[in-house]
Amino acid sequence: MEINELKRIANNNRKRIVEMVYRAKVGHVGGALSAIDLVTAICEMDIDYNSKERSRLVLSKGHACPAIYAELVQKGVLKEEDLLTFRHINSRLQGHPYTVDIPEVDATTGLLGQGFSMAVGMALVKKQCDKDHRVYAIAGDGEMDEGQMWEAIMMAAHNKLDNLVLIVDYNKLSSTHPTNEVINLESLTAKMEAFNLHTIEIDGNDMEQVVKALEEAKTVKGKPTAIIANTVKGKGVSFMENVGKWHSSGLTDDEYRIAMDDLKRIEETL
């Protein structure tokens, strides 16, 4: 798929995220917007939801599920009108992904640190069964404070899971506070390399760099890949970018209009 088409889809997904959170009056909008380029590229390039045997995407930072829901609409798994039920009682689209209601989300996540451990298990089984699919896991940077993440990283490296890609959505805001003021992760790239992961550092909101990194990961043998994706929380919406409030917040009518105007201007450049 052409880069410009991926950019167009990602921008449409941003509109879906804003729409969802606006209608629900609550939701983790900032981290969904920072991760949507990653989610879009992975799903459009390497996941066939019509196939039982396929690559998997685990959203370890489960609170960013509007990003997954938006892309599942793009892939035809969900309908546009489903998004209007986000976080409503009895809706399938709750505030964290739930496989019982939507099997295509691949893992029920929410407790930070656990999703990546599930991804390691998936990759290990695929490796043992000689399945030619990949397992992607997107983790938040604040999630890297969890000891379980590092245990899972060691397990992945020990088992040489070259079919596993850990992507850290490094938007530098852990909830409302700067990530590295909570617990300093630097140098995150050096840490990943020390744990014997093939490590790539990119601008995670630059689709060309995202695609290049994902393609590079496919060539790696004998070890997992870590992609350190430097992103912007709230990417694409002027008043949300790098503002801690938008980790989780609803939008007023005026904020909704501004956000959609921002995304329309981006669309006009594509």
Side-chain angles (χ1 to χ4, degrees):
M1 184 176 289
E2 294 291 330
I3 294 293
N4 276 350
E5 179 64 8
L6 288 171
K7 290 180 180 179
R8 186 191 64 78
I9 294 171
N11 195 63
N12 282 342
N13 282 338
R14 282 189 165 88
K15 290 180 181 178
R16 292 175 175 132
I17 290 167
V18 169
E19 189 75 37
M20 259 183 281
V21 175
Y22 170 65
R23 298 293 177 185
K25 303 186 186 305
V26 66
H28 292 85
V29 61
L33 291 172
S34 67
I36 193 59
D37 298 293
L38 304 164
V39 171
T40 299
I42 291 167
C43 292
E44 294 296 325
M45 293 172 60
D46 198 22
I47 298 186
D48 179 5
Y49 287 107
N50 294 316
S51 176
K52 184 177 179 180
E53 294 290 339
R54 58 174 175 81
S55 294
R56 303 282 167 172
L57 171 59
V58 175
L59 188 65
S60 197
K61 49 176 282 182
H63 55 277
C65 58
I68 290 287
Y69 298 154
E71 178 58 19
L72 288 179
V73 170
Q74 179 65 31
K75 298 290 280 188
V77 174
L78 298 175
K79 297 178 181 179
E80 293 282 358
E81 53 264 35
D82 292 332
L83 302 182
L84 303 181
T85 72
F86 174 59
R87 292 184 72 147
H88 289 195
I89 294 174
N90 297 324
S91 171
R92 292 193 297 155
L93 279 63
Q94 287 302 316
H96 290 84
Y98 183 42
T99 59
V100 173
D101 287 342
I102 310 176
E104 291 84 358
V105 299
D106 288 333
T108 298
T109 57
L111 292 173
L112 296 182
Q114 294 189 358
F116 181 58
S117 291
M118 287 187 265
V120 170
M122 292 176 188
L124 186 58
V125 170
K126 284 184 178 292
K127 178 71 70 173
Q128 291 173 341
C129 295
D130 199 28
K131 299 292 185 181
D132 188 24
H133 309 109
R134 307 187 68 72
V135 179
Y136 303 90
I138 298 178
D141 49 7
E143 190 172 8
M144 300 307 298
D145 296 349
E146 301 284 350
Q148 185 171 349
M149 289 295 300
W150 298 98
E151 294 175 42
I153 288 169
M154 286 190 289
M155 183 69 171
H158 176 76
N159 286 281
K160 301 179 180 180
L161 298 180
D162 49 19
N163 60 340
L164 176 66
V165 182
L166 167 62
I167 305 169
V168 180
D169 181 17
Y170 202 7
N171 61 37
K172 313 300 190 300
L173 281 171
S174 177
S175 293
T176 58
H177 291 78
T179 304
N180 290 321
E181 290 182 11
V182 178
I183 293 181
N184 189 9
L185 295 176
E186 290 298 331
S187 165
L188 188 53
T189 296
K191 286 181 172 67
M192 292 293 187
E193 291 173 343
F195 276 68
N196 201 30
L197 274 64
H198 177 78
T199 306
I200 309 164
E201 186 166 0
I202 64 168
D203 177 343
N205 296 132
D206 182 316
M207 191 61 77
E208 288 92 343
Q209 292 188 39
V210 171
V211 169
K212 184 178 179 181
L214 293 174
E215 292 296 337
E216 181 178 333
K218 293 179 181 179
T219 70
V220 176
K221 302 299 179 185
K223 61 174 65 177
T225 294
I227 298 175
I228 309 302
N230 294 290
T231 60
V232 174
K233 202 157 196 170
K235 178 68 175 180
V237 177
S238 56
F239 60 87
M240 290 186 187
E241 291 189 354
N242 291 316
V243 177
K245 169 190 173 180
W246 296 103
H247 175 75
S248 179
S249 186
L251 287 82
T252 66
D253 292 346
D254 286 342
E255 288 168 340
Y256 170 74
R257 285 191 289 269
I258 294 168
M260 291 307 239
D261 285 345
D262 286 345
L263 296 172
K264 183 179 179 180
R265 281 191 290 272
I266 293 172
E267 181 180 41
E268 290 170 352
T269 69
L270 300 176

